[in-house]
Amino acid sequence: MRRLITLAAVLLLLSGCGPQQFKATDITGASFARKLELTGHDGKPRTLGDFKGKVVLVFFGFTQCPDVCPSTLARYAEVARELGADADRMQVLFVSVDPERDTQALLANYVPAFDPRFLGLYGDAEATARAAKEFKVVYEKQPGKTPETYTIDHSAGTYVFDQNGQVRLFVRHEAEIEDVVHDLRILLKQ
């Protein structure tokens, strides 16, 4: 009986020593989402390599988006608040899929309104298409009542990179804030 209790105690201790489980979809080793070359709303050319040492969240959207984009950015602002001082080791990148309307000035006003550390990225139509293809993001312009009031249907997930610049997770739009915080804390410890 004593051996059984000792064995149970050892197994219980070992179960806490294994790798922690992510709440989001683990895509470690994916053969996509490896390259991103666009311009930041600060006017600087940006690549994923610029953010090594930080956990990076990459989300594609557009500033005229009525729901998914602002709610995602607001959610990540709440994640940053939950992380406290660790939020300085996190970088949110909002990649515009609307090169016609999302100018540097517009992104510079829109993205940091959610959190001053967040960065909007943009490019011309070709650069935007290359980035979307690399990340397997789908987007399509939908006509509005006037040529200026179009909308864009687009993928709504977020890619998360570890501090070494490797893609690790895909976070669904509906993810709970506490689940995202949980996963980012794991990556920030690695």
Side-chain angles (χ1 to χ4, degrees), residues 25-92:
T25 304
D26 188 340
I27 59 170
T28 301
S31 62
F32 57 92
R34 294 184 176 184
K35 189 175 183 181
L36 185 63
E37 296 177 343
L38 294 166
T39 303
H41 72 245
D42 56 4
K44 297 178 183 175
R46 297 295 190 156
T47 68
L48 287 170
D50 295 336
F51 306 101
K52 280 201 175 175
K54 292 187 175 193
V55 171
V56 178
L57 290 78
V58 178
F59 174 75
F60 287 73
F62 65 113
T63 61
Q64 304 298 313
C65 181
D67 47 23
V68 171
C69 302
S71 67
T72 298
L73 289 168
R75 184 178 302 111
Y76 292 145
E78 181 61 30
V79 166
R81 283 188 287 280
E82 292 288 325
L83 287 173
D86 283 337
D88 289 336
R89 299 183 319 147
M90 173 185 89
Q91 180 63 60
V92 172

Side-chain angles (χ1 to χ4, degrees), residues 84-158:
D86 283 337
D88 289 336
R89 299 183 319 147
M90 173 185 89
Q91 180 63 60
V92 172
L93 301 177
F94 176 79
V95 179
S96 174
V97 293
D98 189 0
E100 290 179 50
R101 293 184 297 197
D102 285 348
T103 63
Q104 178 183 351
L106 183 56
L107 286 165
N109 285 324
Y110 181 78
V111 177
F114 293 92
D115 186 295
R117 296 169 287 205
F118 293 3
L119 185 65
L121 299 178
Y122 68 96
D124 61 19
E126 292 79 24
T128 301
R130 274 193 309 275
K133 182 178 179 183
E134 176 64 21
F135 279 75
K136 299 192 180 294
V137 167
V138 177
Y139 66 102
E140 184 177 7
K141 188 175 177 180
Q142 299 296 326
K145 292 182 180 180
T146 68
E148 297 81 28
T149 61
Y150 64 86
T151 189
I152 299 176
D153 291 339
H154 62 91
S155 305
T158 300

Side-chain angles (χ1 to χ4, degrees), residues 20-28 57 76 157-161 167-184 186-187:
Q20 292 188 290
Q21 296 294 317
F22 292 116
K23 305 288 185 180
T25 304
D26 188 340
I27 59 170
T28 301
L57 290 78
Y76 292 145
T158 300
Y159 293 91
V160 180
F161 293 77
V167 66
R168 298 294 302 278
L169 303 172
F170 180 78
V171 178
R172 294 169 33 133
H173 170 66
E174 307 82 26
E176 297 292 331
I177 290 169
E178 50 273 3
D179 291 344
V180 177
V181 170
H182 169 271
D183 289 353
L184 295 186
I186 293 172
L187 292 174

